[in-house]
Amino acid sequence: MKKLPTYYISHGGGPWPYMPDFRAQMKVLEESLVAMVNELGEKPKAVLMISGHWEETAYTVMGNPVPPMVYDYYGFPPHTYQVKYPAPGDPALAERVKSLIEAAGLPAAIDPERGFDHGTFAPLVVMYPEADVPVVQLSMRTHYDPLEHVKLGRALAPLREEGILIVGSGLSYHNLRQFGAAGKVPSEQFDAWLQTALAIESQEERTATVCDWTKAPSARIAHPREDHLIPLMTALGAAESEKAYCVYHEKNIFGGVTASSFRFGELT
């Protein structure tokens, strides 16, 4: 089994793949998600998704073999609260993830009831529409400590050689009050910083710079609450010595916002 890269993706808004007009607006993002699957080639054994929509006091792994849906969005058409993404869970992988986290000295737990939130099912319904790849979600911790989430990624790194695709799912600019024209300048500024930071060649310097993200231009405008940025730290930590590649970049999502996604590691 080849060693898989890791990804940090901007996952779009709410249940966008299930709304034709909204999906058309996400065309560039959708194309990037399909391209990710194509560049990987063979399907992974499973996807481990760290979603920006789930946080707990300990790193918590979804242990449900038949995950339900979590409709964690508001104000969308009624049919979007009936959609199903029927990918199976993987309880054995959940236990493996928990053991790796605990071996790194970090707190971990299994949630036997948790289902897929839209940070997971929205991108995956585009990537794997047949829902034929097992999926396990992993929470962030509520404190959002950047370096600890990098350490989480380090702990999960062995999974890359076991056929497990590690994906951090968030949005590189996430300020619901400043989308559209109001988000144009701050999203451009933060994205430019992020591109530069991830291109730093020194592993130690790159990790330190990214973890110190609040010093970036427009940092707290881009992320008033960093839930959609922290999954980046885990994707980075799981491929910390490897190069970052921008795999999605758009300057007009959500009416004027710049957003990006990244791959860490080579395609072998």
Side-chain angles (χ1 to χ4, degrees), residues 192-248:
W193 171 85
L194 186 58
Q195 299 279 351
T196 300
L198 291 177
I200 294 172
E201 292 188 6
S202 162
Q203 172 183 323
E204 293 77 10
E205 184 182 351
R206 181 175 69 170
T207 296
T209 301
V210 173
C211 286
D212 207 14
W213 70 272
T214 56
K215 293 182 179 177
S218 298
R220 279 300 181 187
I221 299 175
H223 294 281
R225 188 169 180 264
E226 56 264 45
D227 50 344
H228 277 56
L229 181 66
I230 289 299
L232 167 69
M233 311 301 170
T234 301
L236 170 64
E240 197 172 9
S241 65
E242 297 173 59
K243 187 175 179 179
Y245 299 87
C246 183
V247 294
Y248 161 71

Side-chain angles (χ1 to χ4, degrees), residues 47-261:
V47 175
L48 178 64
M49 185 77 80
I50 301 93
S51 170
H53 290 275
W54 188 21
E55 61 209 46
E56 301 285 353
T57 55
Y59 295 109
T60 304
V61 195
M62 185 186 77
N64 200 324
V66 186
M69 301 292 282
V70 178
Y71 304 114
D72 57 338
Y73 39 76
Y74 306 93
F76 288 95
H79 79 271
T80 63
Y81 298 90
Q82 303 296 323
V83 299
K84 305 292 183 187
Y85 185 69
D90 189 334
L93 174 58
E95 291 290 347
R96 169 80 170 133
V97 170
K98 179 175 180 285
S99 68
L100 286 171
I101 297 171
E102 289 176 332
L106 300 171
I110 298 274
D111 185 334
E113 305 296 330
R114 176 76 185 191
F116 299 137
D117 61 54
H118 80 267
T120 291
F121 71 75
L124 284 179
V125 75
V126 173
M127 294 170 65
Y128 299 109
E130 299 301 317
D132 54 354
V133 177
V135 180
V136 170
Q137 258 193 239
L138 171 62
S139 81
M140 303 172 289
R141 285 190 76 188
T142 51
H143 57 40
Y144 294 145
D145 180 82
L147 182 56
E148 191 180 286
H149 284 82
V150 170
K151 292 177 180 177
L152 171 67
R154 293 170 185 161
L156 299 173
L159 297 173
R160 297 174 56 203
E161 298 189 61
E162 299 171 18
I164 309 304
L165 179 62
I166 299 172
V167 181
S169 177
L171 197 61
S172 62
Y173 174 92
H174 193 253
N175 185 335
L176 298 179
R177 295 184 178 183
Q178 290 197 41
F179 276 169
K184 183 179 188 308
V185 172
S187 66
E188 286 178 344
Q189 291 177 338
F190 187 77
D191 190 272
W193 171 85
L194 186 58
Q195 299 279 351
T196 300
L198 291 177
I200 294 172
E201 292 188 6
S202 162
Q203 172 183 323
E204 293 77 10
E205 184 182 351
R206 181 175 69 170
T207 296
T209 301
V210 173
C211 286
D212 207 14
W213 70 272
T214 56
K215 293 182 179 177
S218 298
R220 279 300 181 187
I221 299 175
H223 294 281
R225 188 169 180 264
E226 56 264 45
D227 50 344
H228 277 56
L229 181 66
I230 289 299
L232 167 69
M233 311 301 170
T234 301
L236 170 64
E240 197 172 9
S241 65
E242 297 173 59
K243 187 175 179 179
Y245 299 87
C246 183
V247 294
Y248 161 71
H249 182 71
E250 185 173 3
K251 289 182 174 292
N252 199 37
I253 195 171
F254 301 116
V257 165
T258 297
S260 297
S261 301

